[in-house]
């Protein structure tokens, strides 16, 4: 075997490591990190293409190496696009500060100086426990003329009644043509405000959402303002691996690293919810959202770019929603995203159509949906094929050459991206999630490439409709099969007499590769063991001291514990003198007194709320969901997350505890409205509207008198105003 001197073999690895230490720690340089990674990719590709492919061989020798090389090239192409995106991150918070200050000054002068905003809540089949939070949160928006509209594509009687009761506007339509895009387009024909904010049925905006976003529209070229999707619950990966407090949700890399980077290239895009759009943009592109793909938000952005508009991205958590609450809901959501992304390739309005800059064509290509799945699949299959069938993706390679060329590439990519997105990118967790998705998403992607049309639009189930508790058996058994194949490959090559692999010197590295793959697949298998949702409502950490009054006159105050819409858990220094079942009153800021009864006593007091009025419950929803939420806020290091993930193998609870057997509550029959357009105007005064930020007067909605109307929402007396939130550094 031709071996290189040790120093020459390790030199490339040392150079890459040294450059990453220099540019990532000693003297941080984003350009230096990207140059290091880019140079390493080119160095690897030169060797990979010129030295490891049997170009002189026949089809039998070429098919497998060329197939593996093609997948690698596609993955590295996407890596290059990612590096370009991460090279120009933006932080628009200072601009939002200036815009908010300007808007507040105008509001002080006269509320009529701020434009009207139509706030659309698009819904189809979401349950009440999800939808009512969004409605109440939008009604509490701090804006003088925000017109709240619930766009009910399910034509449900109870949604109509809920809107009338709360003072929100209600719109439905005769059919469901165009799915969500068609729903919004129909509402655009019935409303008139110059700006349109859109929220999915599970996203609750903070009260300052419009104050933080509307200032960007001072620039006439800004057509859309998008903020991240932040979540007040934990996703399936966090929950099923028991890592809720050890790592953030899987979308932080996209929303906190990729989207700010895209914004630097004017290539950020509307994400379907948590956005504000200039109505003139809709008019300029034909009157509404494009309906050619189920990812109407992406097509909207591409259409706006062709008209000279820019989508601005503000990386602040200004609205909170529900991450997928079960693996079933997770796959419904991701399969829909993948289908829609692939569909736009076939449309003239897509990234390959006319009228786009070259950089936008590259950055809007949905190739990552293909390459991520293929890369994960081949990363698992290549060592298995090598061990079981002696099929090598490379020729004329040995351990020194892999150390010299392959290891620097792996190091540069993993460490480089981690340094470019600290606290957002976690290599091991990302690989586990990629493999988990691969089994269900890759077949959908390949099917959509062949047949882009005819796929049913599926809404992600939320809240009580999300399910949970069922194992993901397809992925689980696939993982177990691949683990068994990996073990069989290693066992088959243990003895020299019956060894399958010809290149003996590669066995140690390939065996190590198989062990890493098995580690990942074990973690993926653990993700398949769905943990049932035990709590009906998400709990939030108490951020300020709360007081509890008992019927006996005792007052207990504590700032430790958690609170949800259904109850309170309060930690105290001394055991509380309370009896189980005792009636108590909890004093909550901005809410008032909420009644309840003691469910647990001692050093941790448990209180179940027993609302004396719907008004009190509504105020609690607004207080809980429209302020800053301390969930999924941790940003640990990549090493800390990797350590936590690996530790789960030793401390894993592989049992799924069954919930106590209870008779299911009978579902109320769904009463559907007839197939006709209905429009209920928002109430003249928004119930639970936030107070004017300096006068404390409830905000009027200012509905236009000439808007079409079939019914009028009931008017409600305005409750005591909620104080407006203040942004640090701005006078309130």
């Amino acid at each position: 075997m031709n071996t290189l001197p040790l120093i020459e073999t390790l030199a490339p690895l040392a150079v890459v490591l040294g450059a990453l230490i220099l540019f990532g720690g000693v003297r941080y340089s984003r350009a230096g990190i990207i140059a290091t990674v880019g140079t390493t990719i080119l160095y690897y590709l030169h060797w990979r293409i010129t030295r490891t492919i049997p170009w002189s061989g026949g089809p039998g020798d070429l098919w497998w190496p060329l197939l593996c090389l093609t997948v690698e090239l596609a993955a590295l192409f996407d890596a290059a696009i990612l590096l370009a995106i991460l090279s120009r991150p933006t932080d628009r918070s200072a601009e939002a500060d200036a815009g908010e200050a300007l808007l507040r000054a105008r509001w002080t002068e006269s509320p009529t100086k701020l434009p009207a905003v139509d706030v659309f809540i698009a819904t189809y089949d979401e349950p009440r426990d999800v939808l009512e939070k969004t409605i109440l949160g939008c009604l509490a928006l701090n804006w003088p003329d925000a017109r709240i509209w619930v766009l009910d594509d399910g034509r449900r009687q109870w949604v109509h009644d809920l809107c009338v009761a709360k003072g929100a506007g209600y719109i439905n339509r005769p059919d469901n043509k165009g799915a969500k895009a068609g729903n919004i387009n129909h509402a655009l024909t019935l409303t008139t405000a110059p700006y349109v904010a859109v929220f999915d049925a599970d996203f609750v905006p903070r009260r300052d959402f419009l104050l933080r976003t509307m200032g960007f529209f001072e620039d006439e070229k800004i057509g859309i303002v998008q903020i991240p999707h932040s979540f007040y619950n934990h996703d399936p990966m966090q929950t099923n691996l028991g890592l809720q407090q050890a790592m953030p949700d899987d979308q932080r890399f996209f929303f906190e690293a990729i989207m700010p980077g895209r914004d630097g290239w004017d290539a950020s895009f509307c994400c379907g919810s948590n956005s504000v759009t200039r109505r003139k943009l809709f008019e300029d592109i034909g009157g509404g959202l494009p309906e050619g793909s189920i990812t109407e938000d992406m097509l909207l952005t591409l259409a706006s770019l062709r008209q000279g508009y820019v989508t601005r991205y503000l990386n602040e958590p200004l609205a909170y929603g529900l991450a997928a609450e079960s693996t079933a809901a997770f796959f419904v959501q991701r399969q829909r995203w993948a289908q829609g992304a692939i569909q736009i390739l076939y449309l003239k309005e897509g990234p390959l159509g006319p009228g786009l800059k070259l950089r936008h064509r590259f950055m809007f290509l949905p190739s990552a949906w293909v390459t991520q799945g293929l890369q994960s699949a081949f990363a698992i299959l290549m060592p298995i094929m090598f061990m079981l069938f002696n099929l090598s993706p490379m020729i004329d390679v040995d351990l020194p050459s892999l150390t010299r060329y392959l290891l620097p590439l792996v190091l540069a990519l993993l460490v480089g991206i981690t340094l470019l997105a600290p606290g957002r990118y976690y290599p091991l967790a990302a690989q586990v999630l990629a493999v988990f998705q691969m089994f269900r998403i890759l077949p959908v992607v390949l099917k959509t490439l062949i047949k882009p049309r005819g796929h049913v639009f599926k809404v992600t189930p939320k809240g009580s409709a999300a399910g949970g508790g069922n194992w993901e058996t397809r992925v689980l058994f696939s993982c177990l099969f691949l683990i068994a194949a990996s073990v069989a490959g290693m066992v088959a090559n243990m003895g020299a007499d019956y060894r399958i692999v010809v290149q003996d010197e590669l066995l140690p590295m390939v065996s190590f590769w198989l062990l890493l793959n098995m580690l990942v697949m074990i973690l993926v298998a653990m993700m398949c063991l769905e943990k049932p949702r035990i709590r009906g409502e998400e709990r939030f950490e108490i951020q300020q001291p709360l007081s509890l009054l008992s019927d006996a006159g005792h007052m207990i105050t504590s700032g430790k514990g958690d609170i949800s819409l259904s109850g309170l858990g309060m930690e105290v220094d001394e055991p509380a003198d309370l009896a189980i079942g005792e009636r108590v009153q909890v004093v909550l800021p901005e809410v008032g007194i909420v009644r309840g009864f003691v469910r647990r006593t001692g050093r941790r007091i448990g209180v179940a709320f027993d609302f004396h009025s719907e008004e009190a419950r509504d105020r609690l929803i607004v207080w809980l969901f429209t302020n800053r939420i301390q969930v999924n806020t941790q940003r640990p290091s990549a090493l800390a997350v990797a350590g936590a993930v690996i530790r789960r193998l030793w401390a894993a609870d592989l049992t799924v505890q069954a919930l106590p057997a209870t008779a299911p509550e009978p579902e109320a029959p769904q009463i559907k409205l007839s197939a006709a357009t209905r429009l209920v105007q928002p109430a003249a005064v928004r119930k639970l509207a936030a107070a004017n930020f300096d006068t404390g007067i409830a905000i009027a909605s200012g509905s236009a008198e000439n808007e079409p109307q079939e019914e009028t929402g009931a008017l409600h007396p305005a409750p005591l105003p909620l104080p407006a939130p203040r942004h640090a550094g701005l006078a309130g």
Side-chain angles (χ1 to χ4, degrees), residues 229-242:
H229 291 190
S230 304
F231 306 108
Y232 60 82
N233 67 320
H234 299 291
D235 64 33
M237 184 173 185
Q238 293 172 297
T239 301
N240 294 346
L241 292 182

Side-chain angles (χ1 to χ4, degrees), residues 39 96 208 237 245 277 287 329 382 494 504 599 639 657 712:
T39 302
D208 60 349
M237 184 173 185
Q245 307 307 319
T277 303
M382 281 195 288
M494 291 179 63
D504 294 355
R599 296 288 299 271
L639 286 177
Q657 297 179 352
T712 301

Side-chain angles (χ1 to χ4, degrees), residues 237 253 376 425-437 641:
M237 184 173 185
F253 179 52
S376 298
Y425 179 68
Y426 305 99
L428 179 57
Q431 181 61 21
V432 172
L433 184 66
V435 173
F436 181 66
Q437 291 186 124
V641 170

Side-chain angles (χ1 to χ4, degrees), residues 93 96-97 100 104 206 208 212 316 628 725-732:
S93 289
D97 291 343
E100 182 178 357
R104 287 180 179 271
R206 265 177 29 186
D208 60 349
R212 298 295 293 163
E316 294 182 2
R628 295 181 183 272
R726 297 167 182 250
H727 187 270
L730 292 175

